[in-house]
């Protein structure tokens, strides 16, 4: 679709690499055909006469990419953040994900989720749905209509899960292929293969997903090395694999179109495998704190040149805000420096901002910066300084408190040059 | 001042101890003469005819007590959160605190600070000012007018500080006595002795403050055992003290009217001393993360019955919101459990809520609960789900991002039964 050339004016910020943020006061971001032409302090002659939207003193920056978020967990974010992993899964996650057999419920939640995501600093996201194809299609319909650009995955689970969330291997693969074919009708909403994680996917299922990946040339998202007991469990489940990362890699599920969430406890050979495969790591600082997972060695990822972005990991992260993810990434890196490895410096703000924009954006191509040629995902905000009700009154208190810090009100959002609001 | 009896209606929550929160749906909180009469699901006969303010579905809970906050650091909150302690102090804290010689500047900042504090969930606070008596008086004027109930301390520093923030011992004590006498004119704003911390206060100054404490029967606030290098430094500075806590205790500065911020690395004998003296600990989870201090053993404080509340520690904590302090206290306790001591369970939400309300409120007396007889500090919020501009553009971005999560809009606030808004 041909778009005209136009400019946004304001205080403009963007990363040029993991260390540097460029800042231009009262400048022009020129966009043409959905791509960045450049940022100019004075509008060049050749652009004279183009439409200029002046945002005054507002901040203009690249839209953020949420590399890891579970849409069906939206209703219970901010709940059970004082539980340990297994209690949290059994109390909230699994019972909630079961509900997405009900399409009316799915529609209600995915409306609220899409609305919140659209209002947030996120312009691109890589999203887990549930095992249910019809509900996943509802989610994709709503995301497509929002104007955001996303990957969405129907989840695969054929073992070690509650009965009501366990598919047979055949059904899981058959449903995935249906899902892939139905996803062809969307422009902005793309399918991604989504084995939940090794403990809930048999070798046969992984093998089948590897074949689907090849057949349809699809990206993959999953979880890797989130917590010590999980790592140990995978070792027991997959005695033939060299390590946890290999349980995906040996079925062709680990390449430059793969996102692995967490990677808190990678062993050296896994670390090198992630680098060689050019796979992406979704660092989820708030989730890793809330579930007592630990703190991933993000500085080391950056120094080694591993692709790394940030994820909110809703609802293990209570906040859908990528601004919180930026602040939390810096915060937990301080505790890592203090407690785990004082030879790895904490993250800088610039590094965290880079991961939230350019780092994660790279999964979508030239996304997350205002360097010339980048796709024009833009958020505008003033300087300065969830939708399904709980039965239980105490939960309503807890949730209200956890969610009350998420009310940033953006002035405008553009995705690939198209104005969303 | 005699107030009439009235009731607030809504969904009511309050701690009864560190483990339990009572929840009453659509109930009545009856207040008489600024104190809680009780919470009733049906209004008792004897209260028939009293004024009832119906807040519908809103949540009604005790106002929160911020046990540790630095008012002059308000302008730079959300900045330098990726720096280490000394860089942060030298880049932001000390240069900022110097500015409070300028009363126009002080007035501008303390207006913004008081406005933000009033809008926040906090109804009581214990506040560090700077070394400057005139600026401290401006802060007290504004706080007095706000209706909040606070303690405010002119800071004492006579060694190991930048020249522009170093008082002579005599001047420091003289100014403190002036400050104490001027503070007599306030109704809601009370003076508190505020030796910054042992490294910046000579033995002679501590001794003089101990005498002022006795003479005027005053409370005390300071910092204790925030980070390992500081602990080591105090050991070198005070070879005659048994431990860091003793550097205060030996001058009579540690009792049930003392608040010590942080207490991350208390040794066993200091831990016992805090318990015996019934002193209060202000746990500041976000600050302890941001400055890479560590995570205090809060569960152990609670189990031992030590008085403990929460502090935002603005601006080492970027957020002025006690709601964030509640969530952060739970969050960092998860990492403590993972990395430091997996025999101490993480904090529960109930424990964190207790500390923010009843735990810290106890420093002010019967404050922070709706048990009968408690002073009626109340906040009402809808269910659901800083003011001086920086020169540097990149700082404006960083600050905007850190502060954008703080926009909770309360419906109403009462302090000791008086309606603030």
């Amino acid at each position: 679709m041909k778009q005209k050339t136009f400019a946004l004016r304001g205080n403009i910020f963007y990363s040029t690499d993991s260390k540097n943020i460029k800042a231009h006061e009262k400048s022009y971001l020129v966009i043409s055909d959905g791509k960045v032409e450049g940022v100019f302090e004075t509008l060049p002659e050749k652009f004279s006469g183009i439409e200029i939207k002046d945002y005054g003193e507002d901040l203009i920056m690249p839209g953020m990419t949420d590399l890891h978020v579970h849409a069906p967990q939206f209703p219970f974010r901010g709940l059970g953040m004082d539980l340990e992993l297994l209690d949290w899964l059994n109390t909230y996650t699994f019972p909630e994900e079961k509900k997405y057999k009900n399409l009316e419920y799915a529609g209600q939640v995915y409306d609220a989720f899409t609305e919140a995501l659209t209002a947030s600093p996120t312009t691109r996201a890589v999203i887990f749905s549930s095992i249910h194809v019809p509900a996943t299609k509802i989610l994709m319909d709503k995301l497509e209509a929002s104007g955001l650009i996303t990957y969405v995955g129907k989840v695969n689970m054929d073992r070690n899960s509650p009965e009501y969330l366990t598919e047979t291997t055949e059904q899981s693969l058959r449903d995935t292929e249906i899902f892939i074919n139905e996803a062809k009708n969307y422009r902005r909403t793309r399918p991604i293969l989504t084995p939940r994680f090794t403990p809930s996917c048999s070798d046969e299922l992984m093998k089948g997903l590897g074949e689907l990946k090849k057949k349809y040339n699809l990206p993959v998202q999953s979880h890797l090395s989130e917590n010590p007991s999980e790592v140990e469990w995978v070792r027991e489940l997959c005695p033939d694999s060299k390590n946890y990362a290999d349980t995906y890699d040996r079925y062709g599920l680990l390449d430059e179109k793969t996102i692995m969430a967490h990677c808190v406890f990678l062993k050296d050979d896994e670390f090198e495998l992630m680098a060689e495969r050019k796979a992406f790591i979704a660092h989820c600082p708030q989730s890793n704190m809330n579930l007592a997972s630990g703190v991933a060695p993000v500085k080391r990822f950056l120094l080694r040149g591993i692709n790394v972005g940030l994820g909110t990991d809703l609802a293990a992260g209570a906040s859908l805000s990528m601004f919180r993810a930026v602040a939390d990434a810096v915060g937990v890196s301080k505790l890592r420096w203090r407690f785990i490895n004082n030879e790895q410096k904490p993250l800088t703000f610039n590094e965290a901002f880079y991961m939230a924009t350019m780092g994660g954006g790279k999964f979508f191509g030239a996304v997350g910066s205002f360097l010339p040629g980048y796709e024009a995902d833009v958020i505008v905000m003033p300087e300065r300084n969830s939708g399904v009700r709980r039965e239980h009154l105490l939960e309503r208190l807890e949730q209200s408190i956890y969610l009350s810090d998420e009310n940033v009100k953006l002035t405008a959002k553009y995705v690939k040059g198209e104005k969303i609001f």
Side-chain angles (χ1 to χ4, degrees), chain A residues 269-280:
Chain A
D269 52 346
E270 293 177 288
F271 182 86
E272 284 307 314
L273 186 66
M274 291 297 288
E276 281 162 31
R277 293 284 183 270
K278 300 187 170 60
F280 282 71

Side-chain angles (χ1 to χ4, degrees), chain A residues 56-67:
Chain A
E57 292 286 347
D58 278 8
L59 314 185
I60 298 178
M61 68 190 88
M64 294 185 170
T65 293
D66 188 343
L67 272 191

Side-chain angles (χ1 to χ4, degrees), chain A residues 142-197:
Chain A
K142 295 185 189 297
L143 287 166
E144 180 75 7
S146 74
L148 303 180
I149 296 178
T150 58
Y151 286 99
V152 175
K154 170 241 172 305
V155 173
N156 301 98
M157 304 163 75
D158 75 342
R159 66 171 177 183
N160 297 322
S161 305
E163 197 185 345
Y164 55 81
L165 283 182
T166 305
E167 310 164 295
T168 65
T169 310
E170 299 65 36
Q171 188 66 46
S172 189
L173 292 169
R174 196 162 51 238
D175 280 359
T176 302
E177 199 151 9
I178 291 169
F179 155 73
I180 294 167
N181 284 305
E182 293 202 346
K184 286 180 179 157
N185 304 319
Y186 300 102
R187 189 162 67 90
R188 308 182 185 91
T189 318
R190 306 163 194 172
I192 183 166
L193 293 172
T194 308
R196 189 172 198 117
F197 70 149

Side-chain angles (χ1 to χ4, degrees), chain A residues 278-297:
Chain A
K278 300 187 170 60
F280 282 71
I281 292 173
H283 173 48
C284 305
Q286 192 182 131
S287 163
N288 295 162
M289 176 162 73
N290 288 341
L291 297 185
S293 303
V295 184

Side-chain angles (χ1 to χ4, degrees), chain A residues 229-337:
Chain A
S229 336
E230 171 212 16
V231 170
E232 180 54 27
W233 192 17
V234 170
R235 212 184 53 75
E236 288 165 14
L237 286 169
C238 307
D240 299 337
S241 283
K242 278 175 285 190
N243 49 48
Y244 193 166
D246 184 55
T247 65
Y248 301 106
D249 188 56
R250 64 176 172 167
Y251 296 113
L253 293 168
L254 197 66
D255 64 18
E256 73 286 353
K257 290 304 289 172
T258 300
I259 298 170
M260 285 292 165
H262 307 308
C263 298
V264 179
F265 299 99
L266 291 187
K267 292 176 183 61
D268 286 346
D269 52 346
E270 293 177 288
F271 182 86
E272 284 307 314
L273 186 66
M274 291 297 288
E276 281 162 31
R277 293 284 183 270
K278 300 187 170 60
F280 282 71
I281 292 173
H283 173 48
C284 305
Q286 192 182 131
S287 163
N288 295 162
M289 176 162 73
N290 288 341
L291 297 185
S293 303
V295 184
V298 182
K299 198 80 172 191
R300 196 176 163 209
F301 300 153
L302 289 169
L303 289 171
R304 178 66 179 86
I306 290 177
N307 286 315
V308 55
L310 298 181
T312 59
D313 195 16
L314 200 75
S319 171
L320 191 59
S321 170
M322 286 294 293
F323 290 166
R324 267 301 294 274
V326 169
D328 290 341
V330 174
V332 300
S333 79
K334 294 290 197 77
L335 290 181
R336 183 169 220 286
W337 173 81

Side-chain angles (χ1 to χ4, degrees), chain A residues 333-404:
Chain A
S333 79
K334 294 290 197 77
L335 290 181
R336 183 169 220 286
W337 173 81
R338 170 67 66 199
F339 291 122
I340 305 177
N341 186 341
N342 65 13
E343 287 174 8
Q344 267 163 26
K345 286 277 202 180
L347 290 176
T348 63
F349 172 75
N350 286 14
E351 288 167 332
F353 185 82
Y354 161 84
M355 290 193 289
T357 53
M358 236 177 153
K362 191 179 173 190
F363 190 74
F364 289 84
V367 170
S369 178
F370 292 155
L371 291 168
Y374 269 69
E375 297 186 10
D377 284 19
V378 186
I379 55 176
V380 185
M381 62 180 286
E383 181 187 334
R384 80 142 250 156
N385 345 76
S386 274
V388 181
R389 191 169 197 203
R390 307 303 302 182
E391 285 298 306
H392 195 302
L393 207 55
L394 267 180
E395 289 183 346
R396 281 150 66 184
L397 169 68
E398 185 180 354
Q399 191 165 43
S400 294
I401 287 186
Y402 267 90
L403 300 189
S404 293

